[in-house]
């Protein structure tokens, strides 16, 4: 057992794929960064890692439930003695009208007496940007982009200052690209002016990589902040720079492979179409009148003779019309949760049947699958050509996983990931 030391930085991620993605940047730099799915296990961490991630499932939870889960996650990071804490949301700041990003900002501001609470969205590397407070996805206002088809978080208002202000106790201020482009001194002066005007929370633009660089310098003074991937990563690489090159990466695990896809939308549909050209796919109907247990059993019966023969996929993905019908009957959240329960039950059965390489598409789906498999901790692999999401569940029964956001990746990413997961 290694001697316990206090991490310099703790990250609370609102979903599993996002937590793994930021960890992959640190592991790529040779900075050890375990990812925990159980706050209680995280609180007992003895890895000696300089950065720790606790990945939860707060994005779609009712606000009261999300607040309770956030508190448990922060309790574990505080128990470890993390010098700085970040609440990590996805690049497009996926959120319902009720929360939960603004709720996280209020919680962190109160808990750590942090004013201003810096907030940063976007991911310029993947063409998600924030300019003058407006969120753009693939160079289009988010409410006019493909994000408008998101079945749960369509983000109808692109003005993040306005949208997030509905979730917080006080309205947000803004430090825009026009101030950030002038450098750190001008950005600090602008930030001071926004705080003097009475704003407790301040959104920082992320129009380009330079905005992120200056935002990172501003955040280095903070005890806590709320951000998407680039600021969360930039801060960690700066704060833990002394630990670069000290981590030994984990190794892939051999065994039968399978793919589970719970995400919906054009990106996931394209990836499934490319996979279908050379592999079998079973599509589940959320409106199937059989019980969930019966559907899970039928899917496992279909998979049984295929395990070990060739990779295959099982999905609940549907086109826009199919999603609409399911939501009309079960509600927006109800349809999503049914899909997650089905795939989680199937994942448990696939693992019992020998699957040891598993790809899961969708942040919420990944959370359900990890919970069903009883995995409390993983090590991310450093980013490669496919980006982050690859991880190893170590221990007596090791498993290779690729947990992928449904919004990212090329059409052939599932096929390429299977190859990348070979030992």
């Amino acid at each position: 057992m290694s001697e316990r030391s206090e991490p310099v930085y703790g990250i609370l991620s609102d979903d599993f794929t996002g937590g793994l993605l930021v960890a992959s940047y640190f592991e790529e730099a040779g900075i050890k960064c375990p990812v925990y799915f159980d706050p209680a296990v995280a609180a007992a961490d003895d890895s000696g890692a300089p950065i720790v991630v606790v990945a939860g499932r707060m994005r779609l939870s009712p606000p009261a439930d999300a607040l309770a889960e956030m508190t448990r996650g922060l309790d574990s990071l505080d128990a470890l003695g993390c010098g700085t804490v970040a609440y990590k949301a996805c690049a497009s700041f996926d959120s319902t009208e009720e929360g939960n990003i603004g709720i996280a900002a209020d919680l962190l501001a109160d808990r750590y007496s942090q004013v201003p609470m810096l907030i940063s969205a976007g991911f310029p590397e993947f063409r998600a940007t924030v300019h003058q407070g407006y969120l753009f996805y693939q160079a289009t206002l988010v409410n006019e982009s493909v994000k408008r088809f998101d079945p749960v978080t369509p983000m109808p208002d692109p003005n993040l200052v306005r949208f997030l202000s509905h979730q917080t106790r006080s309205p947000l201020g803004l430090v825009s690209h026009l101030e950030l482009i002038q450098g750190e001194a001008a950005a600090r002066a602008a930030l001071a002016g926004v705080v003097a005007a009475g704003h407790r929370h301040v959104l920082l633009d992320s129009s380009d990589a330079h905005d992120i660089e200056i935002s990172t310098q501003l955040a280095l003074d903070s005890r806590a902040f709320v951000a998407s991937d680039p600021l969360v990563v930039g801060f960690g690489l700066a704060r833990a720079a002394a630990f670069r090159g000290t981590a030994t990466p984990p190794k892939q695990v051999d065994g039968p492979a399978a793919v589970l896809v719970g995400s919906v939308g054009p990106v996931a549909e394209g990836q499934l179409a490319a996979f279908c050209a050379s592999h079998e796919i079973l599509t589940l109907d959320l409106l199937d009148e059989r019980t969930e247990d019966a559907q899970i059993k039928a899917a496992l019966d279909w998979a049984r003779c295929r395990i070990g023969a060739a990779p295959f996929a099982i999905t609940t993905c549907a086109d826009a019309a199919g999603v609409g019908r399911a939501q009309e009957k079960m509600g927006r959240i109800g349809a999503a949760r049914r899909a997650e329960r089905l795939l989680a039950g199937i994942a448990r059965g696939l693992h019992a049947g020998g699957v040891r390489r598993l790809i899961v598409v969708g942040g919420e789906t990944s959370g359900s699958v990890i919970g069903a498999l009883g995995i409390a901790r993983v090590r991310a692999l450093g980013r490669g050509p496919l980006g982050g999401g690859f991880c190893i569940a170590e221990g007596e029964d090791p498993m290779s996983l690729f947990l992928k956001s449904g919004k990212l990746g090329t059409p052939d990413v599932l096929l390429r990931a299977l190859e990348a997961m070979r030992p």
Side-chain angles (χ1 to χ4, degrees), residues 83-84 112-116 118 184 188 191 214-225 235 239:
T84 304
Y112 300 108
S113 300
Q114 177 63 56
V115 177
L118 300 181
E184 183 179 349
R188 287 191 180 280
L191 178 61
I214 301 302
S215 296
T216 299
Q217 295 302 312
L218 299 181
L220 287 175
D221 297 336
S222 298
R223 176 68 176 85
F225 59 93
F235 181 96
R239 183 53 57 85

Side-chain angles (χ1 to χ4, degrees), residues 7 16 32 43 61 69 72 76 159 173 250-251 256 266 280 304 315 320 357 368 372 415-416:
F16 285 18
K32 189 174 184 179
S61 299
E69 186 176 358
R72 288 192 296 271
S76 68
N159 186 322
K251 296 181 179 180
E280 291 187 272
R304 188 169 294 113
T315 182
R357 291 184 295 143
S368 296
L415 298 169
R416 295 170 64 195

Side-chain angles (χ1 to χ4, degrees), residues 18-162:
L20 280 170
L21 180 57
V22 295
S24 73
Y25 280 83
F26 303 131
E27 296 281 1
E28 181 184 35
I31 301 171
K32 189 174 184 179
C33 180
V35 179
Y36 291 91
F37 305 120
D38 184 335
V41 175
D45 172 86
D46 62 357
S47 68
I51 304 176
V52 172
V53 173
V54 174
R57 300 185 63 201
M58 290 82 77
R59 184 176 301 172
L60 301 182
S61 299
D65 294 344
L67 187 60
E69 186 176 358
M70 290 175 197
T71 299
R72 288 192 296 271
L74 294 174
D75 285 347
S76 68
L77 295 176
D78 288 347
L80 291 174
C82 294
T84 304
V85 170
Y87 181 82
K88 192 265 177 205
C90 71
S92 51
F93 256 40
D94 290 4
S95 182
T96 63
E97 293 284 351
E98 296 78 22
N100 292 314
I101 296 172
I103 292 169
D106 280 341
L107 174 62
L108 267 65
D110 292 344
R111 184 174 181 121
Y112 300 108
S113 300
Q114 177 63 56
V115 177
M117 174 56 59
L118 300 181
I119 301 175
S120 175
F123 204 159
E125 180 182 349
F126 294 101
R127 302 187 69 201
T129 58
V130 179
H131 188 73
Q132 297 294 320
Y134 283 81
L135 176 62
F136 290 80
Y137 187 74
Q138 302 294 322
T140 303
L141 283 169
V142 67
N143 62 315
E144 299 175 6
S145 74
V146 296
K147 265 288 292 172
R148 71 186 186 276
F149 300 120
D150 190 304
V152 184
T153 54
M155 298 296 289
D157 187 351
N159 186 322
L160 288 184
V161 172
R162 182 171 57 213

